[in-house]
Amino acid sequence: MVRLLGRTGKSRSNRRLGGGRPQRSNGRVREAGAPGGSDPARPASGEGGGAAGDGSGPGTLASLWAALSGRTVAGQVFLFQVVITLVLVLAAVLALVLQGRYDSTREATDRSLAVAQTFANAPGTRAALSAPDPTALLQPEAEAARKAAQVDFIVVMNTQGIRYTHPKPDRIGKKFVGSLAPALAGRAVTEEIEGTIGRLVQAVVPIEAPDGKVVGVVSAGITTAHVGGTANRQLPLVFAAAAVAVALATGGTALVSRRLLLQTHGLGPREMTRMYEHHDAVLHAVREGVTIVGGRGELLLANDEAHRLLHLPPDAEGRQVRALGLDPDTAELLASGRVVTDEVRLVGDRLLAINQRPTDLRGGPAGSVATLRDSTELRALSGRAEVARERLDMLYDAGVAIGTGLDVSRTAKELTELAVPRFADFVSVDLFDAVLVGEPPEAGTELRRAAFTGVRTDAPLYPVGRSIRFVPSSPQARALRTGQAVVEPTLRDAPGWQAQDRERTRQIVEYGIHSLITAPLRAGSLVLGLVNFWRYSAPEPFDAEDRALAEELVARAAVSIDNARRYTREHTMAVTLQRSLLPRSLPEQDALDIAYRYLPARAGVGGDWFDVLPLSGTRVALVVGDVVGHGLHAAATMGRLRTAVHNFASLDLAPDELLHLLDELVSRIDQDETIDGTSVVTGATCLYAVYDPVTRVCTMARAGHPPPALVHPDGRVEFADVPVGPPLGVGGLPFETQDIELAEGTRLVLYTDGLVEDRTRDIDVGLEILRSTLERAGPSPEDTCRAVVDARLPERPGDDIALIVARTRALGADRVAEWEVPADPAAVARVRSEVSRRLAEWGLEEAGFTTELILSELVTNALRYGGSAIRVRVIRDRSLICEVFDSSSTAPHLRYAAMTDEGGRGLFLVAQLADRWGTRYLPGGKVIWAEQPLP
């Protein structure tokens, strides 16, 4: 209901808007036809007690009754609500009565059936039927059961319906009244009939012999008088509740109607309709905005012109003025209610002259009314300067907001977000596919939509990701051919543009998009794609000045997109090189269960790497390294170091010796390589670990690398105390090794510093977080990798992350055989015999001859050239491994023996019979080993 200005409780107009309308004077209602405006049924104002609106005095009830008589809106509402209340209460009472009787009848039926079934299945009932005098036995039991169960009768009868029991003894021996056929057929039945004791509800149940034959019938029931008694006793309570409900509803309705009477001022429906029509016509017709704001700053009314001038949302009425999205100064003015006269304010793109007055000057409600007049024509003189300033601001913002990253799609998206809605309502960027992957654009007209932004999301334009081939007549194809921006001021009259896609262009025009500028993205001589600016909300089409601005804006964005394209190309090349240098799969081995993760940096390619290298004697080497720096140089250096590690590992070097050789290699790289005449300091860190599943010993050494973590089988986590050496390339200091015996099932965690260190966190904090994560991780290496990466991976990692989790296995004693060999040539035969017996136990008899021959040659060479302490070890793993230990450090050499030589053919035979053979050095000697495949 719209509150009318100027009508208050103290002063109301006596002007009648229509016949029959009650008039008001000094706050009292008077009938339209009373002489002098007085009411003969009550004293005048000031006589008796109080005014009619204060709820006191003897005339209050009479005036209220007259107002609620039906001629006013309040009276009609009152009568309508009273009728509705009575109908609802009567319906509720009737429903309760019917439901009560239905529930009583249902309860009687269920109780009768239960009593009859219980008595029929009682142990003595069937036996009593075959007695000489069934009545003598059953009558007392039936009466006792009837009273206990609170039913009106229990009748037992034979199959002909002759009663044996009855509450009235004179009915015993007479024919039963009811249906016996279902019971004689073995079914229980309930029915409502007119019996010998009146109207009743009864259940008839068969009495069956053990063989299923019906030998009698039991009936139990309750009379209708008792069935309805409970419901009838509830009727007074129901009617009393109904009366209370009617009274409360009527009283509440009267209060509501009285409130409505006060708010409508006693007007009738016709008068209110006429008043609303006049009020609505005025508000819609005037070309000035009108707003009414309440005392608490809420918007009570805004006409159509106010909505248009202030850009108010459809649901503005009832909301706080300060929450309607107006500029702060205008919102504060309207909410303050202060008096202003022709105060000019810039609201959006309009100059508004505002006049405002409070509504409580003559006792009206608190608030204010404001009128708004569009004075935009006053701004015409300074319009061009303002437009130029806005365009300069947008071009300045383009230099700041476009190109914040080096991603092609993101840069295109930044362009669309800048231009919407400041320049166009919808902006799309279409790029060649080659540009999106960092390559130079290819000739042609097929592009892919890379970015799209609009003031609405339901526009029928091509979506992001759509491949588009523009027809030659389209403005986009013309822009690509000429390299100049093309304006289509009226799309409805552009047949060349409509030929692109008849159905879609029709939808675009019907949607309301009416003007287009398409500008090519040019970076030097390259055309990277197109930018399309679409106008929707503004009625005026794009013009030549808009095209110039679009070209300038697109030219600035093209530089950023081309930079992102070049970076994408270089980054893709570096990532491709880096991934090609990393292991693509892990070698097969039985010493460790291994899982790994490699996550390149988002900003640039780094030099992190890892490797898993099987060694002789079932041992496995784990390598993790990190080259200083990023980019192609770091990736190439990483590849060289990884290759060097492979070569050094094939020599079976100890970890400290291998790191020493790597350190020399990095130093030579730093000395030999320069970029633009400047020496490039490479530097790298590395951790090298060798695990032996036979002894369960892991030997580790590290060069400036973070320490490995050990997760013991009981879940305890510790960082291995491996002596730290200088980073590779520093030189001058030796490296130290650390031997650690690991229980089977221990997880060895190797990683690079990108996992535990970044610019915002110290490495000690990262190590502690890693420790807590490992304590919660699952038992498998894969679970551990997943938990660590999920807990530690930043959203945009600034450094590469390499992670290896290896769970140790132990090679059981039943797969290893060892013998000490005395310094006696005759011991060779005993060794062959022992080996043959052990191979037979392993089921490898087919390899016996070859193994004996290999060991004979190796042991003979050890006796001839090695020291006194000789030991033989045979290992059954993925292959059969033979190892001969001696105390000499002299390495054997494979050579061709001359025809006249008596020796020198032993190692040649070993090399021909074995798949692989070699030598590894120990602190006290060497080991010559040979591997052959299992048969």
Side-chain angles (χ1 to χ4, degrees), residues 53 63 174 237 345 593 679 705 714 742 869 921:
S63 61
K174 294 182 179 180
L237 180 61
R345 294 270 181 168
D593 292 327
S679 177
H705 205 80
D714 59 359
L742 303 177
Y921 293 93

Side-chain angles (χ1 to χ4, degrees), residues 574-584 598-600 605 635 638:
V575 170
T576 302
L577 173 62
Q578 183 188 41
R579 291 193 179 278
S580 67
L581 297 175
L582 290 172
R584 300 186 180 182
Y598 185 84
L599 303 168
V605 177
M638 175 267 288

Side-chain angles (χ1 to χ4, degrees), residues 30 33-38:
R30 61 186 180 185
S38 63

Side-chain angles (χ1 to χ4, degrees), residues 808-852:
T808 61
R809 296 177 181 174
L811 201 64
D814 58 334
R815 299 173 63 183
V816 180
E818 291 188 73
W819 300 276
E820 298 290 337
V821 181
D824 183 3
V828 177
R830 188 169 67 253
V831 170
R832 289 200 302 267
S833 176
E834 292 290 340
V835 169
S836 297
R837 185 165 55 254
R838 180 52 63 95
L839 293 179
E841 294 176 1
W842 288 345
L844 302 176
E845 293 89 346
E846 297 181 9
F849 176 77
T850 303
T851 304
E852 291 179 12

Side-chain angles (χ1 to χ4, degrees), residues 760-780:
T760 62
R761 180 173 44 241
D762 188 70
I763 188 172
D764 293 334
V765 177
L767 291 175
E768 190 58 35
I769 296 176
L770 176 61
R771 179 199 299 273
S772 61
T773 303
L774 293 175
E775 290 174 347
R776 299 189 304 269
S780 70

Side-chain angles (χ1 to χ4, degrees), residues 675-688:
I675 296 180
D676 296 334
T678 303
S679 177
V680 178
V681 178
T682 301
T685 65
C686 183
L687 190 149
Y688 187 81

